[in-house]
Amino acid sequence: MLKKILLLGLAVALCLPLGAGASGDFWIHVYVNEAGSDGDRVKINLPLNLVESILPMIETDELHDGILELDELDLAGIEFDKLGEILRKSEDGEYVTIEEDDEIVRISKEGDRILIHVESRKHKKSGDGPREKVEINLPIHVIDALTTDDPHELNILAAIEALTKEGETGLITVHDDDDIVRVWIDKKSTQDD
């Protein structure tokens, strides 16, 4: 379950901000630092207005006209517009906690954001194995904007427009043992070391 959430979270985070550049001031940053002596370190810094211009030109089986097709995820029956409205009016708190043998998943609300925290646990018997921690921080209005009439699609361009209202924000942080992945938006053209 952790791997599925991690992959979905990274896909959403990488797709959402890609066009958030209605304002030329904002940049999308992706930072990857693999542990170990031969681990790679990757820094991506892109002006959002550049990516916003390029995104509509990408035509693949999964992405066209700013719409991301999801074959394995069926959102039928979920009325995101109503869900968003209800969430905005609801109290802050931890809404869902799932504790499994190998991981804990928490979904909570803080202000106008939905927070998803996933943390793997070391196996109880052996005490070994990798520890992973995923933190996803999504504004509720961006979640609203993702939906389309087709329950197998996400409207990336609409979510991008909604995300431009956020300004500087962190979206995803992943820690896998000593490996780190971060995705965020700010007004800097570089990343601080």
Side-chain angles (χ1 to χ4, degrees), residues 5-20 28-30 48 51 68 134-139 142 146 154 156 159-160 163 169-174 181-185:
I5 292 173
L6 172 62
L7 291 174
L8 178 61
L10 285 174
V12 169
L14 290 173
C15 291
L16 280 179
L18 287 182
I28 176 72
H29 304 281
V30 178
L48 293 175
V51 184
L68 180 64
V134 178
E135 296 178 357
I136 301 172
N137 179 352
L138 292 175
V142 173
L146 278 170
L154 296 177
I156 303 304
I160 287 166
L163 192 59
T169 188
L171 296 170
I172 290 194
T173 304
V174 178
V181 176
R182 288 184 55 224
V183 180
W184 73 99
I185 296 172

Side-chain angles (χ1 to χ4, degrees), residues 52-121:
E52 182 178 32
S53 299
I54 293 172
L55 184 63
M57 292 187 261
I58 299 172
E59 294 289 328
T60 67
D61 289 341
E62 295 83 22
L63 182 65
H64 58 86
D65 300 320
I67 303 290
L68 180 64
E69 303 251 351
L70 304 171
D71 291 331
E72 295 183 25
L73 183 61
D74 188 349
L75 304 174
I78 301 174
E79 297 181 46
F80 279 92
D81 56 339
K82 293 178 184 175
L83 176 63
E85 182 179 334
I86 292 168
L87 286 173
R88 275 189 289 283
K89 293 178 181 178
S90 65
E91 295 179 32
D92 289 358
E94 189 170 300
Y95 292 163
V96 177
T97 302
I98 303 168
E99 294 189 28
E100 296 178 340
D101 186 42
D102 59 345
E103 67 188 8
I104 299 172
V105 178
R106 289 187 173 90
I107 302 173
S108 60
K109 177 187 178 262
E110 287 182 16
D112 66 346
R113 295 178 173 272
I114 297 298
L115 308 174
I116 303 170
H117 297 274
V118 181
E119 188 169 351
S120 70
R121 302 192 240 195

